[in-house]
Amino acid sequence: MELAVYKIDGSEAARTVTLNDQIFNVEPNDHAIWLDVKQYLANQRQGTHDTLERSTVSGSTRKLKRQKGTGGARAGSIKSPTIRGGATVFGPHPRDYSFKLNKKVKRLARFSAFTYKQQEGKITVLEDFSFDAPKTKAFRDILKSLKLEGQKTLMLIPENDRNIYLSARNLPRTQVMRACEANTYNVLNAGHLVICEKSLPELEKMLGE
């Protein structure tokens, strides 16, 4: 599939690019997408939650009341889970939520994500650009020229560019990342995908491994 290349002023350049069918035109696999997104979100979890059990909660071990004759249930410790301020039963403890996912499944999930964006017509190929210094207004002007201002946008750049990153950092609903770092979650979470021209070979290189 061919797409026109746009300039940063919003006009079309006098050339087109051909999207790789192995990346942008495959049979989408929703289950692979679900697994990859699940793994991504699981990896974001710190897993530092912890609760106090009977052996760790602070409190006296004195028996609260006599065993019989009160007319109520037996109560042997203020640490009991049935008492306010007592221990927690089967509560969470620090753990690692990450899990293994095969590389081929992750690759298929990314292929599927890019394919969905292509089918929705939510991909724009932009000519390569750079800034001499961080310029948020200049980056906003690029989004305006592409009619993407205010939309949830993900821009893939071919290599690390600090000035571009800082220019977009304060813009809401806008994210910039290197093409080699693109993942299923961020691609699908974005309303529109802007790919710099030199990022296409980087995507092919990354997803072809």
Side-chain angles (χ1 to χ4, degrees), residues 1 3 18 22 31 36 40 56 73 81 92 106 120 149 153 160 172 175 180 184 188 195 202-203:
M1 180 180 180
L3 288 181
T18 301
Q22 294 182 350
H31 185 62
D36 197 15
Y40 174 84
T56 53
K106 293 175 67 69
E120 296 169 359
E149 187 181 20
T153 305
N160 188 31
Q175 184 178 12
C180 63
T184 304
L188 291 178
I195 305 177
E202 293 296 323
L203 283 176

Side-chain angles (χ1 to χ4, degrees), residues 78-89:
I78 200 172
K79 299 180 181 182
S80 171
T82 60
I83 297 178
R84 181 180 179 87
T88 300
V89 180

Side-chain angles (χ1 to χ4, degrees), residues 82-119:
T82 60
I83 297 178
R84 181 180 179 87
T88 300
V89 180
F90 303 125
H93 296 289
R95 56 164 291 193
D96 182 10
Y97 284 90
S98 63
F99 62 92
K100 182 181 180 298
L101 191 62
N102 292 338
K103 290 183 178 180
K104 290 184 178 180
V105 176
K106 293 175 67 69
R107 187 181 299 115
L108 177 58
R110 293 174 186 177
F111 290 163
S112 302
F114 283 113
T115 297
Y116 274 131
K117 287 301 176 185
Q118 182 271 127
Q119 292 176 350

Side-chain angles (χ1 to χ4, degrees), residues 105-195:
V105 176
K106 293 175 67 69
R107 187 181 299 115
L108 177 58
R110 293 174 186 177
F111 290 163
S112 302
F114 283 113
T115 297
Y116 274 131
K117 287 301 176 185
Q118 182 271 127
Q119 292 176 350
E120 296 169 359
K122 298 296 185 180
I123 296 179
T124 298
V125 180
L126 184 67
E127 68 176 2
D128 298 298
F129 69 97
S130 61
F131 295 136
D132 297 332
K135 300 176 182 177
T136 301
K137 183 178 183 300
F139 196 95
R140 184 188 293 114
D141 291 340
I142 294 177
L143 296 180
K144 285 183 179 179
S145 64
L146 297 175
K147 299 180 180 179
L148 297 177
E149 187 181 20
Q151 297 187 35
K152 188 180 289 187
T153 305
L154 172 63
M155 178 177 290
L156 299 182
I157 56 178
E159 57 188 10
N160 188 31
D161 191 316
R162 180 176 174 80
N163 290 334
I164 293 179
Y165 171 76
L166 293 178
S167 298
R169 184 174 59 176
N170 289 334
L171 294 177
R173 302 168 64 84
T174 303
Q175 184 178 12
V176 173
M177 65 169 41
R178 293 188 300 167
C180 63
E181 297 175 347
N183 58 72
T184 304
Y185 177 83
N186 286 323
V187 171
L188 291 178
N189 190 45
H192 202 94
L193 188 62
V194 178
I195 305 177

